[in-house]
Coordinates of all heavy atoms in Angstrom, one line a residue:
M1 N 1.9 -10.1 -3.5 CA 0.7 -9.4 -3.3 C 0.3 -8.7 -4.6 O 1.1 -8.1 -5.2 CB 0.9 -8.4 -2.1 CG -0.4 -7.6 -1.8 SD -0.1 -6.5 -0.4 CE 0.2 -7.7 0.9
A2 N -1.0 -8.7 -4.9 CA -1.5 -8.1 -6.1 C -1.4 -6.5 -5.9 O -1.5 -6.0 -4.9 CB -2.9 -8.5 -6.3
R3 N -1.1 -5.9 -7.1 CA -1.1 -4.5 -7.0 C -2.5 -3.9 -6.9 O -3.4 -4.5 -7.4 CB -0.4 -3.9 -8.3 CG 1.1 -4.2 -8.2 CD 1.7 -4.0 -9.5 NE 1.4 -2.8 -10.2 CZ 2.0 -2.3 -11.3 NH1 3.0 -3.0 -11.8 NH2 1.6 -1.2 -11.9
T4 N -2.6 -2.8 -6.2 CA -3.9 -2.3 -6.0 C -4.0 -0.9 -6.6 O -3.0 -0.1 -6.5 CB -4.1 -2.2 -4.4 OG1 -3.9 -3.4 -3.9 CG2 -5.5 -1.7 -4.1
D5 N -5.2 -0.5 -7.0 CA -5.4 0.8 -7.6 C -5.4 1.8 -6.4 O -6.2 1.8 -5.6 CB -6.7 0.9 -8.3 CG -7.0 2.2 -8.9 OD1 -6.2 3.2 -8.7 OD2 -7.9 2.3 -9.7
P6 N -4.3 2.7 -6.4 CA -4.3 3.6 -5.2 C -5.4 4.6 -5.2 O -5.6 5.3 -4.2 CB -2.9 4.3 -5.4 CG -2.6 4.1 -6.8 CD -3.2 2.9 -7.3
R7 N -6.2 4.8 -6.3 CA -7.3 5.7 -6.3 C -8.5 5.1 -5.7 O -9.5 5.8 -5.5 CB -7.6 6.1 -7.8 CG -6.4 6.9 -8.4 CD -6.6 7.0 -9.8 NE -6.5 5.6 -10.3 CZ -6.6 5.3 -11.6 NH1 -6.8 6.2 -12.5 NH2 -6.5 4.1 -12.0
R8 N -8.5 3.8 -5.5 CA -9.7 3.1 -4.9 C -9.9 3.6 -3.5 O -9.0 3.6 -2.7 CB -9.4 1.6 -4.9 CG -10.5 0.8 -4.1 CD -10.1 -0.7 -4.0 NE -8.9 -0.9 -3.2 CZ -8.9 -0.9 -1.9 NH1 -10.0 -0.8 -1.2 NH2 -7.7 -1.2 -1.2
P9 N -11.1 4.1 -3.2 CA -11.4 4.5 -1.9 C -11.4 3.3 -0.9 O -12.0 2.3 -1.2 CB -12.8 5.1 -1.9 CG -13.1 5.3 -3.4 CD -12.2 4.3 -4.1
P10 N -10.6 3.4 0.1 CA -10.5 2.2 1.0 C -11.8 2.1 1.9 O -12.4 3.1 2.2 CB -9.3 2.5 1.8 CG -9.3 4.0 1.9 CD -9.8 4.5 0.6
D11 N -12.0 0.9 2.3 CA -13.0 0.6 3.3 C -12.2 0.6 4.6 O -11.7 -0.5 5.0 CB -13.8 -0.6 3.1 CG -14.8 -0.9 4.1 OD1 -14.8 -0.2 5.1 OD2 -15.6 -1.8 3.9
L12 N -12.1 1.7 5.4 CA -11.3 1.7 6.5 C -11.8 0.8 7.6 O -11.0 0.3 8.5 CB -11.2 3.1 7.0 CG -10.4 4.1 6.1 CD1 -10.3 5.5 6.7 CD2 -9.0 3.5 5.8
A13 N -13.1 0.4 7.6 CA -13.6 -0.5 8.6 C -13.0 -1.9 8.4 O -12.8 -2.6 9.4 CB -15.1 -0.6 8.6
V14 N -12.6 -2.2 7.2 CA -12.1 -3.5 6.9 C -10.6 -3.4 6.8 O -9.9 -4.3 7.2 CB -12.7 -4.0 5.5 CG1 -12.0 -5.3 5.1 CG2 -14.2 -4.2 5.6
N15 N -10.1 -2.4 6.2 CA -8.6 -2.3 5.9 C -7.8 -1.5 6.8 O -6.8 -1.0 6.5 CB -8.5 -1.8 4.5 CG -9.1 -2.7 3.4 OD1 -9.0 -3.9 3.6 ND2 -9.6 -2.1 2.4
H16 N -8.2 -1.4 8.1 CA -7.4 -0.6 9.0 C -6.2 -1.4 9.4 O -6.2 -2.5 9.8 CB -8.2 -0.3 10.3 CG -7.5 0.5 11.2 ND1 -7.4 1.9 11.2 CD2 -6.7 0.1 12.3 CE1 -6.6 2.3 12.1 NE2 -6.2 1.3 12.8
H17 N -5.0 -0.7 9.2 CA -3.7 -1.3 9.5 C -3.1 -0.5 10.6 O -3.0 0.7 10.4 CB -2.8 -1.5 8.3 CG -3.4 -2.4 7.3 ND1 -3.2 -3.8 7.4 CD2 -4.1 -2.2 6.2 CE1 -3.8 -4.4 6.3 NE2 -4.3 -3.4 5.6
T18 N -2.6 -1.1 11.6 CA -1.8 -0.3 12.6 C -0.4 -0.2 12.2 O 0.1 -1.0 11.3 CB -1.9 -1.1 14.0 OG1 -1.3 -2.3 13.9 CG2 -3.4 -1.3 14.4
W19 N 0.3 0.6 12.9 CA 1.7 0.8 12.6 C 2.5 -0.5 12.7 O 3.3 -0.9 11.8 CB 2.3 1.9 13.4 CG 3.8 2.1 13.2 CD1 4.8 1.9 14.1 CD2 4.4 2.6 12.0 NE1 6.0 2.2 13.5 CE2 5.8 2.6 12.2 CE3 3.9 3.1 10.8 CZ2 6.7 3.1 11.3 CZ3 4.8 3.5 9.8 CH2 6.2 3.5 10.1
P20 N 2.3 -1.3 13.8 CA 3.1 -2.5 13.9 C 2.7 -3.5 12.8 O 3.6 -4.2 12.3 CB 2.6 -3.1 15.3 CG 2.2 -1.9 16.1 CD 1.6 -0.9 15.0
Q21 N 1.5 -3.5 12.4 CA 1.1 -4.4 11.2 C 1.8 -3.9 10.0 O 2.3 -4.8 9.2 CB -0.4 -4.4 11.0 CG -1.2 -5.1 12.1 CD -2.7 -4.9 11.9 OE1 -3.1 -3.8 11.6 NE2 -3.4 -6.0 12.2
L22 N 1.9 -2.6 9.7 CA 2.6 -2.1 8.5 C 4.1 -2.5 8.6 O 4.6 -2.9 7.6 CB 2.4 -0.6 8.4 CG 3.1 0.0 7.2 CD1 2.6 -0.6 5.9 CD2 2.8 1.5 7.2
V23 N 4.7 -2.2 9.7 CA 6.1 -2.5 9.9 C 6.3 -4.0 9.6 O 7.3 -4.4 8.9 CB 6.6 -2.1 11.3 CG1 8.0 -2.6 11.5 CG2 6.6 -0.6 11.4
A24 N 5.5 -4.9 10.2 CA 5.6 -6.3 9.9 C 5.5 -6.7 8.5 O 6.3 -7.5 7.9 CB 4.6 -7.1 10.8
A25 N 4.5 -6.0 7.8 CA 4.3 -6.3 6.4 C 5.6 -5.9 5.5 O 5.9 -6.5 4.5 CB 3.1 -5.6 5.9
M26 N 6.2 -4.8 6.0 CA 7.4 -4.2 5.3 C 8.6 -5.1 5.5 O 9.6 -5.0 4.7 CB 7.6 -2.8 5.7 CG 6.6 -1.8 5.2 SD 6.8 -0.2 5.9 CE 8.2 0.4 5.0
D27 N 8.6 -5.9 6.5 CA 9.8 -6.7 6.8 C 10.1 -7.7 5.6 O 9.3 -8.5 5.3 CB 9.6 -7.6 8.0 CG 10.8 -8.3 8.5 OD1 11.9 -7.7 8.2 OD2 10.7 -9.4 9.0
G28 N 11.2 -7.4 4.9 CA 11.6 -8.3 3.8 C 11.0 -7.8 2.5 O 11.3 -8.4 1.4
A29 N 10.1 -6.9 2.5 CA 9.4 -6.4 1.3 C 10.3 -5.5 0.5 O 11.2 -4.8 1.1 CB 8.1 -5.7 1.6
I30 N 10.1 -5.4 -0.8 CA 10.9 -4.4 -1.6 C 10.1 -3.1 -1.6 O 9.0 -3.1 -2.1 CB 11.0 -5.0 -3.0 CG1 11.9 -6.2 -3.0 CG2 11.7 -3.9 -3.9 CD1 11.9 -7.0 -4.3
T31 N 10.6 -2.1 -0.9 CA 9.9 -0.8 -0.8 C 10.8 0.2 -1.5 O 11.8 0.6 -0.9 CB 9.7 -0.5 0.7 OG1 10.9 -0.6 1.4 CG2 8.7 -1.5 1.3
P32 N 10.3 0.7 -2.6 CA 11.1 1.7 -3.3 C 11.5 3.0 -2.5 O 12.4 3.7 -2.8 CB 10.2 2.1 -4.5 CG 9.4 0.9 -4.7 CD 9.1 0.3 -3.3
C33 N 10.7 3.3 -1.5 CA 10.9 4.5 -0.8 C 12.1 4.4 0.2 O 12.6 5.4 0.7 CB 9.7 4.9 0.0 SG 9.2 3.8 1.3
R34 N 12.6 3.2 0.4 CA 13.7 3.1 1.4 C 14.9 3.9 1.0 O 15.3 3.8 -0.2 CB 14.0 1.6 1.5 CG 14.8 1.2 2.8 CD 14.7 -0.2 3.1 NE 13.4 -0.5 3.6 CZ 13.0 -1.8 3.9 NH1 13.8 -2.8 3.7 NH2 11.8 -2.0 4.4
N35 N 15.4 4.6 1.9 CA 16.6 5.4 1.6 C 16.4 6.5 0.6 O 17.3 6.9 -0.1 CB 17.8 4.5 1.2 CG 18.1 3.5 2.3 OD1 18.1 3.8 3.4 ND2 18.5 2.3 1.8
S36 N 15.2 7.0 0.5 CA 14.9 8.1 -0.4 C 14.1 9.2 0.3 O 13.2 8.9 1.0 CB 14.1 7.6 -1.6 OG 13.8 8.7 -2.5
S37 N 14.5 10.5 0.0 CA 13.8 11.6 0.6 C 12.7 12.1 -0.3 O 11.9 12.9 0.2 CB 14.8 12.7 0.9 OG 15.4 13.2 -0.3
E38 N 12.6 11.5 -1.5 CA 11.6 12.0 -2.4 C 10.2 11.8 -1.9 O 9.3 12.6 -2.1 CB 11.7 11.3 -3.8 CG 11.2 12.0 -4.9 CD 11.6 11.4 -6.2 OE1 11.9 10.2 -6.3 OE2 11.7 12.2 -7.2
W39 N 10.0 10.8 -1.1 CA 8.6 10.5 -0.5 C 8.2 11.5 0.5 O 7.0 11.6 0.8 CB 8.6 9.1 0.1 CG 8.3 8.0 -0.9 CD1 7.1 7.4 -1.1 CD2 9.1 7.5 -2.0 NE1 7.2 6.5 -2.1 CE2 8.4 6.6 -2.7 CE3 10.4 7.8 -2.4 CZ2 8.9 5.9 -3.8 CZ3 10.9 7.1 -3.5 CH2 10.2 6.2 -4.2
L40 N 9.1 12.3 1.0 CA 8.8 13.3 2.0 C 8.8 14.7 1.4 O 8.6 15.7 2.1 CB 9.8 13.3 3.2 CG 9.7 11.9 4.0 CD1 10.8 11.9 5.0 CD2 8.4 11.7 4.6
S41 N 9.1 14.8 0.1 CA 9.1 16.1 -0.5 C 7.8 16.8 -0.5 O 6.7 16.2 -0.5 CB 9.6 15.9 -2.0 OG 9.4 17.1 -2.7
E42 N 7.8 18.2 -0.5 CA 6.6 18.9 -0.6 C 6.4 19.4 -2.0 O 5.4 20.1 -2.3 CB 6.6 20.1 0.4 CG 6.6 19.6 1.8 CD 6.5 20.8 2.8 OE1 6.3 21.9 2.4 OE2 6.7 20.5 4.0
N43 N 7.3 19.1 -2.9 CA 7.2 19.4 -4.3 C 6.2 18.5 -5.0 O 6.4 17.3 -5.0 CB 8.6 19.3 -4.9 CG 8.6 19.6 -6.4 OD1 7.8 19.0 -7.2 ND2 9.4 20.6 -6.8
P44 N 5.1 19.0 -5.6 CA 4.1 18.1 -6.2 C 4.6 17.2 -7.3 O 4.2 16.1 -7.4 CB 3.1 19.1 -6.7 CG 3.3 20.4 -5.9 CD 4.7 20.4 -5.6
R45 N 5.6 17.7 -8.1 CA 6.2 16.8 -9.1 C 6.9 15.7 -8.5 O 6.8 14.5 -9.0 CB 7.1 17.6 -10.0 CG 6.5 18.4 -11.1 CD 7.5 18.9 -12.0 NE 6.8 19.4 -13.2 CZ 7.4 20.1 -14.1 NH1 8.7 20.3 -14.0 NH2 6.8 20.6 -15.1
Q46 N 7.7 15.9 -7.5 CA 8.4 14.8 -6.8 C 7.5 13.9 -6.1 O 7.7 12.7 -6.1 CB 9.4 15.4 -5.8 CG 10.6 16.0 -6.5 CD 11.7 16.4 -5.5 OE1 11.4 16.7 -4.4 NE2 12.9 16.5 -6.0
Q47 N 6.4 14.4 -5.6 CA 5.4 13.6 -4.9 C 4.7 12.7 -6.0 O 4.5 11.5 -5.7 CB 4.3 14.4 -4.2 CG 4.8 15.1 -3.0 CD 3.7 16.0 -2.4 OE1 2.7 16.3 -3.0 NE2 3.9 16.5 -1.2
Q48 N 4.4 13.2 -7.1 CA 3.8 12.4 -8.2 C 4.7 11.3 -8.6 O 4.3 10.1 -8.9 CB 3.4 13.2 -9.4 CG 2.2 14.1 -9.1 CD 0.9 13.4 -8.8 OE1 0.7 12.3 -9.3 NE2 0.1 14.0 -8.0
R49 N 6.0 11.6 -8.8 CA 7.0 10.6 -9.2 C 7.1 9.5 -8.1 O 7.2 8.3 -8.4 CB 8.4 11.3 -9.4 CG 9.3 10.4 -10.2 CD 10.5 11.1 -10.7 NE 11.1 12.1 -9.8 CZ 11.4 13.3 -10.1 NH1 11.2 13.8 -11.3 NH2 11.9 14.1 -9.2
A50 N 7.2 9.9 -6.9 CA 7.3 8.9 -5.8 C 6.0 8.1 -5.7 O 6.1 6.8 -5.6 CB 7.5 9.6 -4.4
A51 N 4.9 8.7 -5.9 CA 3.6 7.9 -5.9 C 3.6 6.9 -7.0 O 3.1 5.8 -6.8 CB 2.4 8.9 -6.0
A52 N 4.1 7.3 -8.2 CA 4.2 6.3 -9.3 C 5.1 5.1 -8.9 O 4.8 4.0 -9.3 CB 4.6 7.0 -10.5
L53 N 6.2 5.4 -8.3 CA 7.1 4.3 -7.9 C 6.5 3.4 -6.9 O 6.8 2.2 -6.8 CB 8.4 4.9 -7.4 CG 9.3 5.6 -8.5 CD1 10.4 6.3 -7.9 CD2 9.7 4.6 -9.6
C54 N 5.6 3.9 -6.0 CA 5.0 3.1 -5.0 C 4.2 1.9 -5.7 O 4.0 0.9 -5.1 CB 4.0 3.9 -4.2 SG 4.6 5.0 -3.0
R55 N 3.8 2.1 -6.9 CA 2.9 1.1 -7.5 C 3.6 -0.2 -7.7 O 3.0 -1.2 -7.9 CB 2.4 1.6 -8.9 CG 1.4 2.8 -8.6 CD 0.7 3.2 -9.9 NE 0.0 4.5 -9.5 CZ 0.1 5.6 -10.1 NH1 0.9 5.7 -11.1 NH2 -0.6 6.7 -9.7
G56 N 5.0 -0.2 -7.6 CA 5.7 -1.4 -7.6 C 6.0 -2.0 -6.3 O 6.7 -3.0 -6.2
C57 N 5.4 -1.5 -5.3 CA 5.7 -1.9 -3.9 C 4.7 -3.0 -3.4 O 3.5 -2.9 -3.7 CB 5.6 -0.7 -2.9 SG 6.0 -1.1 -1.2
S58 N 5.3 -4.0 -2.7 CA 4.4 -5.1 -2.3 C 3.5 -4.8 -1.1 O 2.7 -5.6 -0.8 CB 5.3 -6.3 -2.1 OG 6.2 -6.0 -1.1
V59 N 3.8 -3.7 -0.5 CA 2.9 -3.3 0.7 C 2.1 -2.1 0.4 O 1.7 -1.4 1.3 CB 3.7 -3.2 2.0 CG1 4.4 -4.5 2.3 CG2 4.8 -2.1 1.9
L60 N 1.8 -1.8 -0.9 CA 1.1 -0.6 -1.2 C -0.2 -0.4 -0.5 O -0.5 0.6 0.1 CB 0.9 -0.5 -2.7 CG 0.2 0.7 -3.3 CD1 0.8 1.0 -4.7 CD2 -1.3 0.6 -3.3
A61 N -1.0 -1.5 -0.5 CA -2.4 -1.3 0.1 C -2.3 -1.1 1.6 O -3.0 -0.2 2.2 CB -3.2 -2.6 -0.2
E62 N -1.4 -1.8 2.3 CA -1.2 -1.7 3.7 C -0.8 -0.3 4.1 O -1.2 0.4 5.0 CB -0.2 -2.7 4.3 CG -0.7 -4.1 4.3 CD -0.4 -4.8 3.0 OE1 -0.1 -4.2 2.0 OE2 -0.4 -6.1 3.0
C63 N 0.2 0.2 3.3 CA 0.8 1.5 3.5 C -0.2 2.6 3.3 O -0.4 3.5 4.1 CB 2.0 1.7 2.5 SG 2.9 3.2 2.7
R64 N -1.0 2.5 2.2 CA -2.0 3.6 1.9 C -3.1 3.5 3.0 O -3.5 4.6 3.5 CB -2.6 3.3 0.5 CG -3.7 4.2 0.2 CD -4.7 3.6 -0.8 NE -5.2 2.4 -0.3 CZ -5.5 1.3 -1.0 NH1 -5.3 1.3 -2.3 NH2 -5.9 0.2 -0.4
D65 N -3.5 2.4 3.3 CA -4.6 2.3 4.3 C -4.2 2.8 5.7 O -5.0 3.4 6.4 CB -5.2 0.8 4.4 CG -5.8 0.4 3.1 OD1 -6.1 1.3 2.2 OD2 -6.1 -0.8 2.9
F66 N -3.0 2.5 6.0 CA -2.5 3.0 7.3 C -2.5 4.6 7.3 O -3.0 5.2 8.2 CB -1.1 2.5 7.6 CG -0.4 3.2 8.8 CD1 -0.8 2.9 10.0 CD2 0.5 4.3 8.6 CE1 -0.2 3.5 11.1 CE2 1.0 4.9 9.7 CZ 0.7 4.6 10.9
A67 N -1.9 5.2 6.2 CA -1.9 6.6 6.1 C -3.3 7.2 6.1 O -3.5 8.3 6.8 CB -1.2 7.0 4.8
L68 N -4.2 6.6 5.5 CA -5.6 7.1 5.5 C -6.2 6.9 6.9 O -6.9 7.8 7.4 CB -6.5 6.4 4.5 CG -6.2 6.8 3.0 CD1 -6.7 5.8 2.1 CD2 -6.7 8.2 2.8
A69 N -5.9 5.8 7.5 CA -6.6 5.5 8.8 C -6.1 6.5 9.9 O -6.8 6.9 10.8 CB -6.2 4.1 9.3
V70 N -4.8 6.9 9.8 CA -4.3 7.9 10.8 C -4.3 9.3 10.3 O -3.8 10.2 11.0 CB -2.8 7.5 11.2 CG1 -2.8 6.1 11.8 CG2 -1.8 7.6 10.1
N71 N -4.9 9.5 9.1 CA -5.0 10.8 8.6 C -3.7 11.5 8.4 O -3.5 12.7 8.8 CB -6.0 11.7 9.4 CG -6.6 12.8 8.6 OD1 -6.5 12.8 7.4 ND2 -7.2 13.7 9.3
E72 N -2.7 10.7 7.9 CA -1.3 11.2 7.8 C -1.3 12.4 6.8 O -1.7 12.3 5.6 CB -0.4 10.1 7.2 CG 1.0 10.5 6.9 CD 1.7 11.2 8.0 OE1 1.8 10.5 9.1 OE2 2.2 12.3 7.9
P73 N -0.9 13.6 7.3 CA -0.9 14.8 6.5 C 0.3 15.0 5.5 O 0.2 15.8 4.6 CB -1.0 15.9 7.5 CG -0.3 15.4 8.7 CD -0.5 13.9 8.7
N74 N 1.4 14.3 5.8 CA 2.6 14.5 5.1 C 3.1 13.3 4.3 O 2.9 12.2 4.7 CB 3.7 15.0 6.1 CG 3.3 16.2 6.8 OD1 2.9 17.2 6.3 ND2 3.4 16.1 8.2
G75 N 3.8 13.6 3.2 CA 4.5 12.6 2.5 C 3.6 11.7 1.6 O 2.4 11.8 1.6
V76 N 4.4 10.9 0.8 CA 3.7 10.0 -0.1 C 3.6 8.6 0.6 O 4.7 8.1 1.1 CB 4.5 9.9 -1.4 CG1 4.0 8.7 -2.3 CG2 4.4 11.2 -2.1
W77 N 2.5 8.1 0.7 CA 2.2 6.8 1.3 C 1.3 5.9 0.4 O 0.3 6.4 0.0 CB 1.5 6.9 2.7 CG 2.3 7.6 3.8 CD1 2.6 8.9 3.8 CD2 2.8 7.0 4.9 NE1 3.3 9.2 5.0 CE2 3.4 8.0 5.7 CE3 2.8 5.7 5.5 CZ2 4.0 7.8 6.9 CZ3 3.4 5.5 6.7 CH2 4.0 6.5 7.4
G78 N 1.8 4.7 0.2 CA 0.9 3.8 -0.6 C 0.4 4.4 -1.9 O -0.7 4.2 -2.3
G79 N 1.3 5.1 -2.6 CA 0.9 5.6 -3.9 C 0.0 6.8 -3.9 O -0.6 7.2 -4.9
T80 N -0.1 7.4 -2.7 CA -1.0 8.6 -2.6 C -0.2 9.8 -2.1 O 0.6 9.6 -1.2 CB -2.2 8.4 -1.6 OG1 -1.7 8.1 -0.3 CG2 -3.0 7.2 -2.1
T81 N -0.5 10.9 -2.7 CA 0.1 12.2 -2.2 C -0.8 12.7 -1.1 O -2.0 12.2 -0.9 CB 0.2 13.2 -3.3 OG1 -1.1 13.5 -3.7 CG2 1.0 12.7 -4.5
P82 N -0.4 13.7 -0.3 CA -1.3 14.3 0.7 C -2.6 14.8 0.0 O -3.7 14.6 0.6 CB -0.4 15.4 1.3 CG 1.0 15.0 1.1 CD 1.0 14.2 -0.2
T83 N -2.5 15.3 -1.2 CA -3.7 15.8 -1.9 C -4.6 14.7 -2.2 O -5.8 14.8 -2.1 CB -3.3 16.6 -3.1 OG1 -2.4 17.7 -2.7 CG2 -4.5 17.2 -3.9
D84 N -4.0 13.6 -2.7 CA -4.8 12.4 -3.0 C -5.6 11.9 -1.8 O -6.8 11.5 -1.9 CB -3.9 11.2 -3.5 CG -3.2 11.5 -4.8 OD1 -3.7 12.3 -5.6 OD2 -2.1 10.9 -5.0
R85 N -4.9 11.9 -0.7 CA -5.6 11.3 0.6 C -6.7 12.2 1.0 O -7.7 11.7 1.5 CB -4.5 11.1 1.7 CG -3.6 9.9 1.3 CD -2.7 9.5 2.5 NE -1.9 10.6 3.1 CZ -0.7 10.9 2.6 NH1 -0.2 10.3 1.6 NH2 0.0 11.9 3.2
K86 N -6.5 13.5 0.9 CA -7.5 14.5 1.3 C -8.8 14.2 0.4 O -9.9 14.1 0.9 CB -7.1 15.9 1.1 CG -6.4 16.5 2.3 CD -6.2 18.0 2.0 CE -5.1 18.5 2.9 NZ -4.6 19.8 2.5
A87 N -8.5 14.0 -0.9 CA -9.6 13.8 -1.8 C -10.3 12.5 -1.5 O -11.6 12.4 -1.5 CB -9.1 13.8 -3.3
Q88 N -9.5 11.4 -1.2 CA -10.1 10.1 -0.9 C -11.0 10.2 0.4 O -12.0 9.6 0.5 CB -9.0 9.1 -0.8 CG -8.4 8.7 -2.1 CD -7.5 7.4 -2.0 OE1 -7.4 6.9 -0.9 NE2 -6.9 7.1 -3.1
R89 N -10.5 10.9 1.4 CA -11.2 11.0 2.6 C -12.5 11.8 2.4 O -13.6 11.4 2.9 CB -10.4 11.7 3.7 CG -9.2 10.8 4.2 CD -8.6 11.4 5.4 NE -9.4 11.1 6.6 CZ -9.4 9.9 7.2 NH1 -8.6 8.9 6.8 NH2 -10.2 9.7 8.2
R90 N -12.5 12.8 1.6 CA -13.7 13.6 1.3 C -14.7 12.7 0.6 O -15.9 12.7 0.9 CB -13.4 14.8 0.5 CG -12.9 16.0 1.3 CD -13.0 17.3 0.5 NE -12.2 17.3 -0.7 CZ -11.0 17.7 -0.8 NH1 -10.3 18.2 0.2 NH2 -10.3 17.6 -2.0
R91 N -14.2 11.9 -0.4 CA -15.1 11.0 -1.2 C -15.7 10.0 -0.3 O -16.9 9.7 -0.4 CB -14.2 10.4 -2.3 CG -15.1 9.8 -3.4 CD -14.3 9.5 -4.7 NE -13.0 8.8 -4.5 CZ -11.8 9.4 -4.8 NH1 -11.8 10.5 -5.4 NH2 -10.7 8.7 -4.6
A92 N -14.9 9.4 0.6 CA -15.4 8.4 1.5 C -16.4 9.0 2.4 O -17.5 8.4 2.7 CB -14.2 7.8 2.3
Q93 N -16.2 10.2 2.9 CA -17.1 10.9 3.8 C -18.5 11.1 3.0 O -19.6 10.9 3.6 CB -16.6 12.2 4.3 CG -17.4 12.9 5.3 CD -17.6 12.1 6.6 OE1 -16.7 11.4 7.0 NE2 -18.8 12.2 7.2
R94 N -18.4 11.6 1.8 CA -19.6 11.8 1.0 C -20.4 10.5 0.8 O -21.6 10.5 0.9 CB -19.2 12.4 -0.4 CG -19.1 13.9 -0.3 CD -19.1 14.6 -1.7 NE -18.2 13.9 -2.7 CZ -17.0 14.3 -2.9 NH1 -16.5 15.4 -2.2 NH2 -16.2 13.7 -3.8
E95 N -19.7 9.4 0.5 CA -20.3 8.1 0.3 C -21.0 7.7 1.6 O -22.1 7.1 1.6 CB -19.3 7.1 -0.2 CG -18.9 7.3 -1.6 CD -17.8 6.4 -2.1 OE1 -17.4 5.5 -1.3 OE2 -17.3 6.6 -3.2
K96 N -20.3 7.9 2.7 CA -20.9 7.5 4.0 C -22.2 8.3 4.3 O -23.1 7.8 4.8 CB -19.8 7.8 5.1 CG -20.1 7.2 6.4 CD -19.0 7.5 7.4 CE -19.3 7.3 8.8 NZ -18.2 7.6 9.7
E97 N -22.1 9.6 4.0 CA -23.3 10.4 4.2 C -24.5 10.1 3.3 O -25.6 10.2 3.7 CB -22.9 11.9 4.1 CG -22.0 12.4 5.2 CD -21.4 13.8 4.9 OE1 -21.7 14.4 3.8 OE2 -20.6 14.3 5.7
A98 N -24.1 9.7 2.1 CA -25.2 9.3 1.1 C -25.8 8.0 1.4 O -26.9 7.7 1.0 CB -24.6 9.3 -0.3
A99 N -25.1 7.1 2.2 CA -25.6 5.7 2.4 C -26.8 5.8 3.5 O -27.0 6.6 4.2 CB -24.5 4.9 2.9
Ligands
SF4_1 S1 3.8 1.9 -0.8 FE1 4.6 2.7 1.2 S2 6.3 1.4 1.7 FE2 5.8 1.1 -0.4 S3 7.2 2.5 -1.6 FE3 5.3 3.6 -1.3 S4 5.5 4.7 0.7 FE4 7.1 3.1 0.6

Protein backbone atom coordinates (compact mmCIF):
# COMPACT_ATOMS: atom_id res chain seq x y z
CA MET A 1 0.00 0.00 0.00
CA ALA A 2 1.31 3.45 -0.86
CA ARG A 3 2.27 5.71 1.98
CA THR A 4 -0.14 8.54 2.56
CA ASP A 5 0.48 12.04 3.82
CA PRO A 6 -1.07 11.99 7.30
CA ARG A 7 -1.67 15.74 7.07
CA ARG A 8 -4.02 15.23 4.13
CA PRO A 9 -7.57 16.04 5.25
CA PRO A 10 -9.57 12.88 4.63
CA ASP A 11 -12.79 12.68 2.74
CA LEU A 12 -14.72 10.80 5.38
CA ALA A 13 -17.64 10.20 3.05
CA VAL A 14 -15.28 8.13 0.89
CA ASN A 15 -12.74 6.85 3.36
CA HIS A 16 -14.89 5.75 6.25
CA HIS A 17 -13.46 2.56 7.76
CA THR A 18 -15.22 0.57 10.43
CA TRP A 19 -13.39 -1.19 13.23
CA PRO A 20 -13.86 -4.66 11.63
CA GLN A 21 -12.45 -3.31 8.35
CA LEU A 22 -9.44 -1.86 10.15
CA VAL A 23 -8.82 -5.09 12.07
CA ALA A 24 -9.04 -7.04 8.81
CA ALA A 25 -6.57 -4.66 7.13
CA MET A 26 -4.17 -5.07 10.06
CA ASP A 27 -4.19 -8.86 9.77
CA GLY A 28 -0.70 -9.76 8.62
CA ALA A 29 0.35 -6.11 8.28
CA ILE A 30 3.54 -4.74 9.81
CA THR A 31 2.28 -2.29 12.42
CA PRO A 32 5.02 -0.53 14.39
CA CYS A 33 2.65 0.20 17.27
CA ARG A 34 2.15 -3.45 18.13
CA ASN A 35 3.40 -4.17 21.66
CA SER A 36 4.29 -0.54 22.36
CA SER A 37 2.72 1.85 24.84
CA GLU A 38 4.23 4.91 23.15
CA TRP A 39 1.15 5.25 20.93
CA LEU A 40 -1.02 5.77 24.01
CA SER A 41 1.29 8.26 25.69
CA GLU A 42 0.00 11.70 26.61
CA ASN A 43 3.52 13.11 26.28
CA PRO A 44 3.61 15.25 23.10
CA ARG A 45 7.21 14.26 22.30
CA GLN A 46 6.40 10.57 22.52
CA GLN A 47 3.27 11.13 20.45
CA GLN A 48 5.32 12.85 17.74
CA ARG A 49 7.83 10.00 17.72
CA ALA A 50 5.07 7.41 17.48
CA ALA A 51 3.34 9.36 14.72
CA ALA A 52 6.58 9.44 12.73
CA LEU A 53 6.93 5.67 13.08
CA CYS A 54 3.39 5.23 11.77
CA ARG A 55 4.58 6.49 8.40
CA GLY A 56 6.13 3.07 7.80
CA CYS A 57 2.87 1.27 8.50
CA SER A 58 0.97 -0.39 5.69
CA VAL A 59 -2.44 0.46 7.16
CA LEU A 60 -1.75 4.12 7.90
CA ALA A 61 -4.63 5.49 5.82
CA GLU A 62 -7.20 3.03 7.18
CA CYS A 63 -6.04 3.63 10.74
CA ARG A 64 -6.10 7.42 10.45
CA ASP A 65 -9.46 7.50 8.71
CA PHE A 66 -11.00 5.22 11.32
CA ALA A 67 -9.76 7.44 14.16
CA LEU A 68 -11.14 10.52 12.43
CA ALA A 69 -14.44 8.87 11.62
CA VAL A 70 -15.06 7.87 15.23
CA ASN A 71 -13.56 11.10 16.58
CA GLU A 72 -11.02 9.13 18.62
CA PRO A 73 -9.77 11.51 21.32
CA ASN A 74 -6.81 9.48 22.59
CA GLY A 75 -3.59 8.05 21.29
CA VAL A 76 -1.70 8.14 18.03
CA TRP A 77 -3.59 6.66 15.10
CA GLY A 78 -2.49 6.61 11.50
CA GLY A 79 0.34 9.05 11.97
CA THR A 80 -1.83 11.59 13.75
CA THR A 81 -1.73 12.78 17.33
CA PRO A 82 -4.93 13.83 19.11
CA THR A 83 -3.97 17.45 18.36
CA ASP A 84 -3.46 16.67 14.65
CA ARG A 85 -6.89 15.06 14.43
CA LYS A 86 -8.59 17.99 16.12
CA ALA A 87 -6.94 20.33 13.61
CA GLN A 88 -7.91 18.09 10.66
CA ARG A 89 -11.51 17.92 11.79
CA ARG A 90 -11.65 21.71 12.20
CA ARG A 91 -10.13 22.15 8.72
CA ALA A 92 -12.57 19.68 7.19
CA GLN A 93 -15.47 21.45 8.91
CA ARG A 94 -14.32 24.85 7.60
CA GLU A 95 -13.98 23.44 4.06
CA LYS A 96 -17.46 21.92 4.31
CA GLU A 97 -18.93 25.22 5.46
CA ALA A 98 -17.16 27.13 2.68
CA ALA A 99 -18.44 24.77 -0.04
S1 LIG B 1 -0.87 3.57 11.45
FE1 LIG B 1 -2.18 2.71 13.06
S2 LIG B 1 -1.76 0.51 13.02
FE2 LIG B 1 -0.11 1.53 11.93
S3 LIG B 1 1.50 1.89 13.44
FE3 LIG B 1 0.25 3.73 13.39
S4 LIG B 1 -1.29 3.45 14.99
FE4 LIG B 1 -0.38 1.43 14.55
